[in-house]
DNA sequence: TTGTATGCGTTATCAG
DNA sequence: CTGATAACGCATACAA
């Protein structure tokens, strides 16, 4: 393995000079800079990241903390897009990411998790799918030991930023569109999980809309489960004229139930997953760009690691209808 | 951050002694071992992985080299399961993984990729979705610089193992089952991509079966594309009585085409993705356990890193029918 | 502007 | 069995 020493020798300069060139120090003559860079290119030298971080106490390592909800198709799709966005942007920012699933740390204490991450040289963490019950993540955030970015949870402090779409507004937008298109009066809302931060925000949205528009609102908890949504629809759809769901998966469950019941009710979902194109009936849904959200999270983490303070970052959403013709490739 | 020095001081021994305890060296008295371990637990000490690998020249870092085919639902699901299996097993084996997409290295030379991985302390690589056109990966394998495990491609040498199901046999199994159940005589086979290793193996399987059973066989290339499969089905299904597809996605495309054509032909797929449950019509398919395959790949990589030679590892497959009732949660 | 020397947290070699 | 001490590859304060 070619080291900085080899480069120094070959270029006829001191190790520290090579280091300075590599790290863009100001006080290096253009001549030596070029000489060094030539040798670097010639030898194909790439600094040993381990040694560099050991010496400088700085690393570019960040962890992606991902909750594997269930093995539903939907969450796989979303998780993969999160990972894709993060890994790509990280590469561009010269960061390297390691992927960690919450299941792997859930039997550790916060101190153990901290030690583990620190031993791995991890300086930043992006949290996907945090719930109100995540005590360990909460402690990590409060400790200030790591720079953190939390997706979809309103955690902000000096070392923590949040990145998400405006869930409340998105829920209002998609529900209003669906309701207006079909002139609905009685809304069945199938909500998500109690412990999800987004559940509360979306619920607030639909409540506000229904109050404003003087619509009758029935709320049931679907726990982001397709099956539960199906059951709820079977039971309550007849006495309502619209089914608003807090996730696409639940919207699919509801729609399939309606088909089986042989009645029509407009249904809208949330997330914009491709699966929506396979159900047969088109539905309105909120499209979140999970890749972009994750890219932005990495970028925000980069800013935090450069000393900036935590803040709330809002990402745009769009209203779409996913058709089979659009997704088939 | 608590270091080995702190532990040594607290335990009243030398740094080297602590190191020996940590690395299970033989020549340490039980008494000092316990004394040291107590302090380790008490201080919550975890060795700095960077420093350790810098010193020992050993690391437990492996890279997952993943090809993002297209943003089709199917490949997201499969990729995510690969990642899940790898990350989980890696954690158990005390390895840490970094995720790399082939798109990120495709504009580099093999030498650059090697330098990059070496600079990151990566000793092993698992390759998912290698094609016959992957020159860089091929060079990586031939160079012997890394221990490698290749999924679904028959690359084996001293430092390289392959892990996969028996694609030929699986294709024969699923096709035979479908053909027998429906007493078919004329088979339309929609194959995958020319540059995929599995494509050739599966094709060999269906050819062998048709020759053996004296069935008429028509082969068309679907390029793993749902749309292409649809088009092929539209054109050739009427003159055949069975559609065998080299992937579930193509099977879905074929089935939807048949429904639109309003004719019935038995269709079978390959992979066992959950999406199959959403199409309405049940189909036979080969189920691959991608999580287990990836776990096995990590384990095999571990063996290689411990000095064992490369070999071919075959994983089991099963024949299934995916119904909506089974996947809804 | 360049070079020398020290240290980062470990492992490993070699005396004791 | 235990303890100094020299690497590992690099960054950096300081000297030249």
């Amino acid at each position: 393995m070619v080291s900085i020493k080899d480069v120094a020798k070959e270029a006829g300069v001191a190790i520290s000079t090579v280091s300075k060139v590599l790290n863009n120090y100001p006080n290096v003559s253009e001549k030596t800079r070029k000489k060094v860079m030539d040798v670097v290119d010639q030898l194909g030298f790439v600094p040993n990241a381990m040694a560099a971080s050991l010496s400088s106490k700085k690393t570019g390592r960040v962890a992606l903390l991902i909750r594997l909800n269930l093995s539903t198709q939907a969450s796989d799709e979303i998780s993969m897009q999160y990972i894709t966005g993060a890994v790509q942007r990280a590469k561009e920012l010269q960061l390297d990411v390691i992927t960690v699933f919450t299941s792997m740390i859930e039997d550790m204490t916060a101190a153990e998790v901290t030690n583990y991450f620190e031993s791995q040289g991890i300086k930043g963490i992006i949290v996907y799918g945090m719930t109100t019950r995540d005590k360990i993540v909460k402690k990590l955030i409060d400790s200030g030991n790591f720079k953190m970015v939390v997706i979809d949870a309103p955690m902000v402090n000096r070392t923590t930023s949040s990145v998400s779409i405006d869930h409340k507004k998105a829920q209002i937008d998609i529900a209003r569109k669906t309701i207006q298109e079909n002139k609905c009066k009685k809304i069945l809302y199938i909500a998500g999980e109690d412990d999800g931060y987004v559940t509360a925000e979306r619920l607030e949205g639909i409540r506000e809309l229904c109050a404003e528009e003087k619509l009758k609102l029935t709320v049931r908890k679907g726990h982001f489960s397709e099956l539960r949504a199906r059951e709820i629809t079977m039971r309550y759809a007849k006495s309502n004229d619209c089914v608003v769901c807090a996730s696409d998966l639940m919207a699919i469950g509801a729609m399939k139930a309606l088909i089986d019941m042989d009645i029509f009710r407009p249904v809208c979902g949330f997330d914009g997953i491709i699966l929506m194109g396979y159900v047969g009936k088109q539905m309105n849904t909120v499209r979140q760009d999970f890749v972009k959200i994750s890219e932005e999270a990495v970028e925000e983490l980069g800013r935090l690691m450069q000393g900036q303070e935590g803040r709330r970052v809002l990402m745009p959403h769009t209203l779409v209808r996913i058709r089979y013709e659009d997704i088939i490739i």
Side-chain angles (χ1 to χ4, degrees), chain A residues 5 16 47 55-57 71-72 115 117 121 124 141 164-165 169 172 203-204 207 217 235 240 245 262 270 281 289 326:
Chain A
K5 194 192 284 181
S16 58
S55 176
S56 70
K57 300 290 236 170
S71 295
T72 66
N115 286 333
F117 280 154
I141 292 171
S164 74
I165 65 166
K169 182 167 187 315
I172 290 175
L203 195 50
E204 201 181 325
R207 286 226 162 92
L217 174 65
R235 183 148 172 198
N240 288 280
C245 299
D262 203 26
F270 206 112
K281 297 280 181 186
D289 191 333
D326 297 332

Side-chain angles (χ1 to χ4, degrees), chain A residues 71-303:
Chain A
S71 295
T72 66
Q73 179 85 10
S75 66
D76 274 356
E77 178 184 345
I78 294 172
S79 299
M80 194 60 210
Q81 294 193 20
Y82 277 147
I83 292 176
T84 303
V87 168
Q88 283 176 349
R89 199 76 193 88
K91 170 89 192 201
E92 290 166 19
L93 297 179
Q94 312 258 45
L95 301 172
D96 59 311
V97 309
I98 79 164
T99 308
V100 179
F101 295 123
T102 47
S103 60
M104 296 159 56
I105 63 163
E106 66 190 5
D107 52 348
M108 301 190 206
T109 66
E112 284 169 342
V113 173
T114 301
N115 286 333
Y116 170 65
F117 280 154
E118 283 185 342
S119 78
Q120 293 290 335
I122 286 165
K123 292 294 195 305
I125 305 172
I126 301 178
V127 183
Y128 301 89
M130 180 186 180
T131 72
T132 53
R133 289 180 307 159
D134 266 319
K135 299 304 175 196
I136 293 173
V137 175
K138 189 73 174 61
K139 280 187 185 169
L140 248 39
I141 292 171
D142 292 339
S143 77
N145 285 325
F146 303 98
K147 303 295 185 180
M148 303 190 61
V149 173
V150 186
I151 309 290
D152 282 347
M155 320 301 291
V156 174
N157 64 24
R158 205 168 43 75
T159 55
T160 310
S161 288
S162 87
V163 174
S164 74
I165 65 166
D166 186 335
H167 288 276
K168 178 178 165 184
K169 182 167 187 315
Q171 185 65 84
I172 290 175
D173 290 349
I174 196 69
R176 170 175 281 137
K177 179 172 195 280
T178 307
I179 289 166
Q180 285 181 347
E181 282 172 356
N182 297 276
K183 301 191 174 35
C184 306
K185 296 291 176 192
K186 292 179 288 185
I187 316 302
L188 170 60
Y189 183 75
I190 306 183
E193 193 72 60
D194 268 342
D195 61 5
Y197 286 100
V198 296
T199 295
E201 292 180 38
R202 294 177 192 173
L203 195 50
E204 201 181 325
I206 192 74
R207 286 226 162 92
E208 192 172 302
L209 175 68
C210 288
E212 186 185 309
E213 304 283 342
K214 303 201 191 338
L215 304 169
K216 176 172 165 291
L217 174 65
T218 305
V219 175
R220 287 295 176 271
K221 279 166 204 151
H223 302 277
F224 292 125
S225 153
E226 195 171 337
L227 184 56
R228 296 296 294 271
R230 179 184 177 82
E231 293 164 355
I232 291 167
T233 303
M234 291 281 191
R235 183 148 172 198
Y236 298 100
K238 277 196 179 137
S239 50
N240 288 280
D241 55 13
C242 183
V243 184
V244 177
C245 299
S247 82
D248 283 345
L249 220 48
M250 294 196 294
I252 290 169
M255 179 55 85
K256 289 213 170 235
L258 289 167
I259 293 172
D260 289 351
M261 294 164 74
D262 203 26
I263 64 174
F264 172 77
R265 296 288 183 279
V267 176
C268 66
F270 206 112
D271 281 341
I273 62 176
I274 293 180
L275 195 54
M276 289 288 267
Y278 286 89
V279 186
K281 297 280 181 186
Q282 289 177 27
M283 290 178 263
N284 287 329
T285 190
V286 173
R287 174 161 155 65
Q288 300 195 57
D289 191 333
F290 298 106
V291 174
K292 273 230 179 65
I293 287 172
S294 201
E295 286 177 347
E296 182 61 35
V298 171
E299 229 158 297
E300 181 63 21
L301 194 52
R303 287 189 211 107

